[in-house]
Amino acid sequence: MKRKHINTLVFLMISILMIYVKSLSAQIESMAGPRIGLTIIAPGETSDFLNEHDGNTAITTQYGWQWESRFTSGTEFVGLVEWVLVVGGMEKGKFMPSASSIVGFRNADGLELGMGPNLSFGGLGMVFGIGMNYKSGDLNLPVNIIVVPPKEDSGFAISFMLGFNMGK
C-alpha cells in the first residue's frame, strides 16, 4: 500500500473517532484490563510467518492485557504510560508476542492518544494509538485503533482492539 493511502486511512480513522468525542461522557479512570482484537499485517516477514510464506497480507487475532500508570492528573485530562502485552497467531497455531509502551493522555470524554516503542517478531519500531472509552453503567469498554508503521523487513500493521473493566 502506498504511503499516501496509509496516511489517508489513518486520517479517516482518527476523524471518525473525533466525531464522537463531544457526544460521549466518561470519567477519567483506569482502563487497565484484558484486550482482544484483530490485526491486519501487510506483506513482509511477519505476514509470511503467519501465512506459510505465501506473500499475502495476514490477519490474526490478538489476546492480551494492558496496564497503565498516570504521571499527571487533572479534571480534564490525565497523562498516561500504558504497557500492552498481546499474543497473536494462536488461531493459526503460531506464537507471536508483542510488547508496547505508550505515552499519551486521556481526556474527560474518554478520548485517548499516544505513541511509543513496540517490540514484536517484526522488530523494534513505533506504535501510534487512538481510542475512545464507551461506558455502560460501571462497565468501561475502551476501543482502540493501533498503527505500527512498516519496519525493515515487516509490513505495516493496523490493529483494532477492545478491552473491558469495571469502573468504581
Side-chain angles (χ1 to χ4, degrees):
M1 186 181 291
K2 293 183 179 179
R3 187 167 297 277
K4 181 179 176 182
H5 291 105
I6 292 170
N7 291 339
T8 302
L9 179 64
V10 171
F11 176 77
L12 286 174
M13 290 184 296
I14 291 170
S15 298
I16 290 168
L17 284 174
M18 294 295 287
I19 291 170
Y20 294 102
V21 170
K22 295 293 181 186
S23 64
L24 299 172
S25 63
Q27 297 175 4
I28 303 176
E29 52 191 302
S30 176
M31 297 301 128
R35 295 293 183 268
I36 58 171
L38 183 73
T39 299
I40 302 166
I41 306 167
E45 286 186 4
T46 306
S47 63
D48 284 348
F49 174 74
L50 280 171
N51 288 336
E52 309 285 328
H53 304 285
D54 70 1
N56 291 321
T57 297
I59 298 175
T60 186
T61 57
Q62 297 281 354
Y63 175 80
W65 197 271
Q66 174 187 308
W67 296 266
E68 65 181 55
S69 178
R70 296 171 185 215
F71 60 83
T72 184
S73 189
T75 58
E76 295 299 316
F77 73 94
V78 295
L80 302 168
V81 178
E82 300 174 349
W83 297 273
V84 185
L85 298 176
V86 295
V87 175
M90 293 178 291
E91 75 283 356
K92 297 181 180 188
K94 308 285 182 164
F95 178 73
M96 295 180 48
S98 173
S100 299
S101 176
I102 302 169
V103 176
F105 76 91
R106 181 177 303 121
N107 73 13
D109 291 324
L111 174 70
E112 60 182 25
L113 296 168
M115 63 180 278
N118 168 265
L119 179 62
S120 68
F121 274 4
L124 180 64
M126 290 297 291
V127 60
F128 301 90
I130 184 169
M132 191 71 201
N133 181 49
Y134 299 94
K135 289 186 68 71
S136 178
D138 288 337
L139 179 65
N140 290 305
L141 295 167
V143 177
N144 296 92
I145 298 173
I146 297 91
V147 176
V148 178
K151 299 172 188 168
E152 187 173 323
D153 294 322
S154 184
F156 176 88
I158 185 166
S159 298
F160 304 92
M161 302 294 287
L162 172 67
F164 63 91
N165 75 6
M166 297 300 285
K168 295 177 169 86

